[in-house]
């Protein structure tokens, strides 16, 4: 059992930056995938980024590549999503998720553990 607590959401102007945090507690694993997903109003939830907890390898959606960076701090059991050059279309509820069965994973349907979500609003 893994609990994920998200923080760092808020409202920013276009072109600004925001950093989301996802702190893991409970049972943790030496190797598993961590994922970031988002859901905008009226849209389906979509993949944003994934990182392997063990070695830090990452993969990003084309829509955020070059603007967003995900990384982890093993000592704090926390994964971060640094979001730069934010655009209004980035407005969404952002979720972190954990999958102990995968190395990296872009398929949200197979993630068993999820954070509560945090709102990101980008105004033009």
């Amino acid at each position: 059992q893994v609990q994920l607590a998200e923080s760092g959401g808020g409202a920013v102007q276009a072109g600004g930056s925001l950093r989301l945090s996802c702190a893991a507690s409970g049972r943790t694993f030496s190797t598993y995938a961590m994922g970031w997903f988002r859901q905008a109003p009226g849209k389906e939830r979509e993949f944003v980024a994934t990182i392997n907890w063990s070695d830090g390898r990452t993969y990003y959606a084309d829509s955020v590549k070059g603007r967003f960076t995900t990384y982890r701090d093993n000592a704090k059991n926390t994964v971060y999503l640094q979001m730069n050059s934010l655009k209004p279309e980035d407005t969404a509820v952002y979720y972190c998720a954990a999958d102990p069965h995968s190395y990296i994973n872009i398929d949200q349907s197979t993630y068993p553990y999820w954070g509560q979500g945090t709102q990101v609003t980008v105004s033009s």
Side-chain angles (χ1 to χ4, degrees):
Q1 184 71 22
V2 177
Q3 292 81 46
L4 303 175
E6 298 181 55
S7 61
V12 297
Q13 294 285 99
S17 298
L18 208 59
R19 189 182 73 167
L20 306 184
S21 299
C22 178
S25 61
R27 178 183 289 185
T28 57
F29 302 90
S30 297
T31 59
Y32 54 79
M34 297 292 294
W36 291 98
F37 300 86
R38 66 187 183 186
Q39 187 168 24
K43 296 184 178 180
E44 296 293 312
R45 188 168 58 190
E46 66 177 356
F47 166 74
V48 175
T50 185
I51 181 171
N52 181 263
W53 187 263
S54 179
D55 65 13
R57 182 164 294 183
T58 57
Y59 182 80
Y60 299 91
D62 288 342
S63 60
V64 306
K65 195 172 298 180
R67 300 189 297 121
F68 291 11
T69 303
T70 186
Y71 59 98
R72 84 270 197 245
D73 185 336
N74 290 340
K76 296 182 178 180
N77 291 322
T78 299
V79 172
Y80 302 93
L81 183 67
Q82 178 66 48
M83 304 183 293
N84 298 324
S85 302
L86 283 162
K87 306 173 181 178
E89 52 261 44
D90 294 318
T91 295
V93 176
Y94 283 71
Y95 299 89
C96 67
D99 177 8
H101 307 294
S102 299
Y103 177 66
I104 56 174
N105 188 2
I106 67 171
D107 184 2
Q108 61 185 289
S109 69
T110 60
Y111 275 87
Y113 304 110
W114 290 83
Q116 80 280 7
T118 185
Q119 177 71 47
V120 172
T121 302
V122 185
S123 59
S124 61

